[in-house]
Amino acid sequence: MVRGVYTVAELVQRQWGDHRTGLRESDLTLSRHQVAAGAAARAALLADLLPRGAEPHLGVLLDNTPEYPLWLSAAALAGAAVAGLNPTRRGAELARDILHTDCRILVTERAHLPLLDGLDLPGVRLLVTDTEAYERLLAPYAAAKPGEAVVRPVTPGTRLLLYFTSGSTGAPKAALCGQGRLAAAGASLVAHFRLSAQDTHYICMPMFHGNAVIANWAPALVAGAPVALRRRFSASGFLPDVKEFGATYFTYVGRAVQYLLATPESPDDRSHALRLGFGTEAGTVDAARFEARFAVRLVEGYGSSEGGAAIQRTRGTPAGAIGRAAPGDDLAVVDRATGQECPPAVFSASGGLSNASAAIGELVNRGRSPFEGYWRNPEADAERLRNGWYWTGDLFYRDAEGFLYFAGRDDDRLRVDSENLAAAMIENILARWDAAAAVAVYAVPDPVAGDQVMAALALREGADFDPAAFADFLSAQPDLGTKMAPRFVRVVPAMPTTATNKIHRVALRRASFHTPDPVWWTPAPGAPYQLLTPASRAALLEQYADHGRSPVPEA
């Protein structure tokens, strides 16, 4: 294991001359030396292409191809920073992400070029990796060596990542991560899970998220272990990949685990080398099912690209808990209104939380926080750092032994398939529908983990809800991301309001789909909207019961 304070650039450089396997995908294998050489070539190209005086930022809009870790490594060597761009973003919202982070170079592939059609991206140079033009552009730099091309001096504090994370309102924020913090995160996971060069890290989660880069790619660099890439997550391709690559470690989100459990069982389900998965929101029921079927332990964690607070699961962590504060963090559950620490959780005989109203509060880090801020967003920085504490914006409760339990997130936020979404942004899109007089978007719990999107629509006088027309409207919206379409649509005669004439979101959330109003839903992604009948509601409630969840928020 690497010791001391170091940078990601140092970790990339240490691959030079090492001819062990460094990177694999289905039809390509690169040695660690080839990875370092490829990174050095791209760093030299980057140094020549970046305009003088410009921020050394490049946007990466790629699936999990070898080019993604090569450009991350190149940026580290050059002292540049990568903005991971989410391909589920559309139109002006995607353009905003690119321009907000001052990207002067955009690395993409032909499959994503349609996303860029018609976008106004002044001053941004496009590199399309799977083209002959790209190969010709890169060829003169083939002999470059690590450390020769630097656009900014590399220190542990040198910015390396700008990873988008959604807040409760407005556009996504770009969280900053320096080389030292990313290297330290990798080292922490190597030590915690005893990872080594004999492991193989399988990366099937998208690399525009911190999950794949911070919790998978970085520890592989630290341990000197190879990484194996899957372009996009595939439930059917997961086990064949794991066997082909000899993978031992992977990261996940809860939805991926659910998809894997839905695949047909096979006598060969345990015929692999995989030993550990690390991620979020799998749920205790699915984690147990996964281990029973595949003989692979899933370890739940809590963290974010911001790095402001982290929770680690240790031996003895109770069912349902995430774990305790990571070493060095002074985490507390605080009443946001008073700033006072909430009392410990009190559990009923059946294990339910008896004092939810008192015990649930916002998780804060009262100690030294590694949070590095957001790119050019002082308002968001100030919201995160108040009175010397880091405020996560997530709701938790804590038992008498100090174990922390996740309880939800701010009312205006939704977390769908481990992506944070802002309700206001979805409302602004749905409000364009001609038949809608008023719109409210809110979260309802997913049967397994996280949230699903539910919308309440009050229709204009004389209008009827036409499910096909509504679906057509959604598909025509250029800025509606793939996670934003409502799973449930409640058609209300009038929008419920509070005494101050604001939409009564609490009442909507508490009702969920238990309402006499007509509720339309999509039984599966891409399926047409249909009425939620008593029979389909009963079947859906069985899914919640199977995972120990309720469609109504606990608090």
Side-chain angles (χ1 to χ4, degrees):
M1 177 180 163
V2 182
R3 298 180 182 276
V5 177
Y6 48 87
T7 64
V8 175
E10 291 177 71
L11 298 175
V12 175
Q13 290 171 352
R14 290 175 186 184
Q15 298 178 100
W16 187 263
D18 186 343
H19 296 284
R20 294 174 298 167
T21 300
L23 189 154
R24 294 183 65 189
E25 65 159 3
S26 57
D27 56 357
L28 177 70
T29 299
L30 297 179
S31 70
R32 285 167 53 79
H33 175 79
Q34 288 173 314
V35 170
R42 286 159 180 78
L45 172 61
L46 180 64
D48 280 353
L49 292 184
L50 277 171
R52 291 188 178 274
E55 290 290 348
H57 294 178
L58 63 148
V60 176
L61 180 63
L62 295 170
D63 290 336
N64 290 357
T65 69
E67 289 288 343
Y68 213 124
L70 285 172
W71 275 104
L72 284 172
S73 300
L77 292 176
V82 168
L85 299 170
N86 185 340
T88 69
R89 299 272 285 170
R90 295 291 186 272
E93 298 299 336
L94 177 59
R96 177 265 171 198
D97 293 348
I98 297 167
L99 297 176
H100 170 68
T101 47
D102 292 316
C103 294
R104 303 304 295 271
I105 294 173
L106 175 57
V107 181
T108 190
E109 55 188 308
R110 285 182 292 179
H112 290 321
L113 286 178
L115 299 179
L116 304 174
D117 285 348
L119 299 191
D120 185 17
L121 300 172
V124 179
R125 177 160 184 170
L126 197 63
L127 302 182
V128 185
T129 59
D130 48 349
T131 62
E132 291 183 4
Y134 176 75
E135 294 300 330
R136 289 195 300 269
L137 190 64
L138 195 57
Y141 303 94
K145 295 181 180 179
E148 290 182 341
V150 177
V151 298
R152 181 173 54 183
V154 177
T155 69
T158 301
R159 186 166 57 251
L160 178 57
L161 302 178
L162 299 97
Y163 267 28
F164 286 101
T165 177
S166 295
S168 58
T169 59
K173 303 179 290 291
L176 305 179
C177 180
Q179 293 211 22
R181 180 160 75 86
L182 183 57
S188 175
L189 289 171
V190 166
H192 188 69
F193 293 131
R194 299 182 181 179
L195 301 170
S196 73
Q198 282 65 53
D199 283 295
T200 294
H201 292 230
Y202 179 55
I203 301 180
C204 57
M205 296 292 100
M207 295 191 75
F208 62 79
H209 269 178
N211 174 292
V213 173
I214 298 173
N216 208 339
W217 181 70
L221 274 182
V222 173
V227 298
L229 298 177
R230 156 66 67 166
R231 173 179 279 270
R232 294 181 182 177
F233 172 75
S234 167
S236 62
F238 179 86
L239 207 54
D241 278 355
V242 164
K243 293 177 181 180
E244 177 186 353
F245 297 131
T248 58
Y249 173 88
F250 79 110
T251 55
Y252 65 85
V253 296
R255 181 67 66 192
V257 171
Q258 183 185 19
Y259 288 149
L260 290 170
L261 290 171
T263 59
E265 293 191 27
S266 165
D268 297 328
D269 280 347
R270 294 181 166 217
S271 301
H272 54 74
L274 196 63
R275 65 181 179 87
L276 179 66
F278 177 61
T280 60
E281 300 182 356
T284 55
V285 173
D286 279 351
R289 289 174 176 170
F290 195 89
E291 184 168 8
R293 177 174 168 182
F294 297 106
V296 177
R297 183 168 64 103
L298 300 184
V299 178
E300 289 280 294
Y302 172 84
S304 65
S305 298
E306 293 100 327
I311 300 172
Q312 288 185 353
R313 189 176 185 88
T314 57
R315 288 187 179 275
T317 298
I322 302 296
R324 287 191 172 107
D329 282 357
D330 178 16
L331 302 188
V333 178
V334 171
D335 185 309
R336 189 178 182 122
T338 66
Q340 300 299 309
E341 189 165 356
C342 296
V346 176
F347 299 102
S348 66
S350 61
L353 181 62
S354 299
N355 62 335
S357 60
I360 293 177
E362 185 169 349
L363 185 70
V364 302
N365 187 354
R366 301 178 298 191
R368 182 180 179 184
S369 169
F371 174 60
E372 297 171 77
Y374 297 108
W375 179 248
R376 292 185 175 170
N377 198 333
E379 296 82 5
D381 290 346
E383 175 65 18
R384 279 281 177 256
L385 295 174
R386 303 194 308 278
N387 302 323
W389 295 353
Y390 175 86
W391 296 72
T392 67
D394 288 325
L395 303 178
F396 275 79
Y397 54 96
R398 192 175 199 161
D399 67 19
E401 303 299 321
F403 289 102
L404 292 157
Y405 300 71
F406 182 70
R409 45 198 48 83
D410 289 348
D411 289 347
D412 289 336
R413 289 197 292 168
L414 306 89
R415 189 168 174 84
V416 180
D417 290 350
S418 293
E419 288 193 25
N420 287 327
L421 304 175
M425 295 177 66
I426 305 176
E427 288 174 353
N428 289 339
I429 296 171
L430 299 188
R432 300 170 189 160
W433 193 38
D434 290 340
V439 177
V441 171
Y442 47 100
V444 295
D446 180 88
V448 178
D451 304 322
Q452 292 184 352
V453 180
M454 187 163 185
L457 299 179
L459 303 180
R460 297 188 184 278
E461 187 175 355
D464 294 317
F465 182 78
D466 183 335
F470 182 71
D472 290 341
F473 160 80
L474 294 177
S475 65
Q477 304 311 301
D479 51 350
L480 186 75
T482 56
K483 310 294 186 185
M484 293 182 178
R487 177 82 186 279
F488 299 96
V489 178
R490 175 182 173 183
V491 181
V492 297
M495 198 65 69
T497 58
T498 65
T500 56
N501 291 316
K502 295 181 179 180
I503 294 177
H504 200 329
R505 300 177 186 276
V506 172
L508 290 169
R509 282 193 297 272
R510 286 176 178 168
S512 186
F513 48 75
H514 297 290
T515 169
D517 296 330
V519 174
W520 298 78
W521 76 311
T522 56
Y529 283 97
Q530 62 185 49
L531 273 173
L532 184 65
T533 64
S536 54
R537 180 183 285 109
L540 186 57
L541 289 173
E542 286 185 6
Q543 294 182 33
Y544 283 95
D546 286 343
H547 294 89
R549 303 199 91 205
S550 168
V552 179
E554 292 183 359

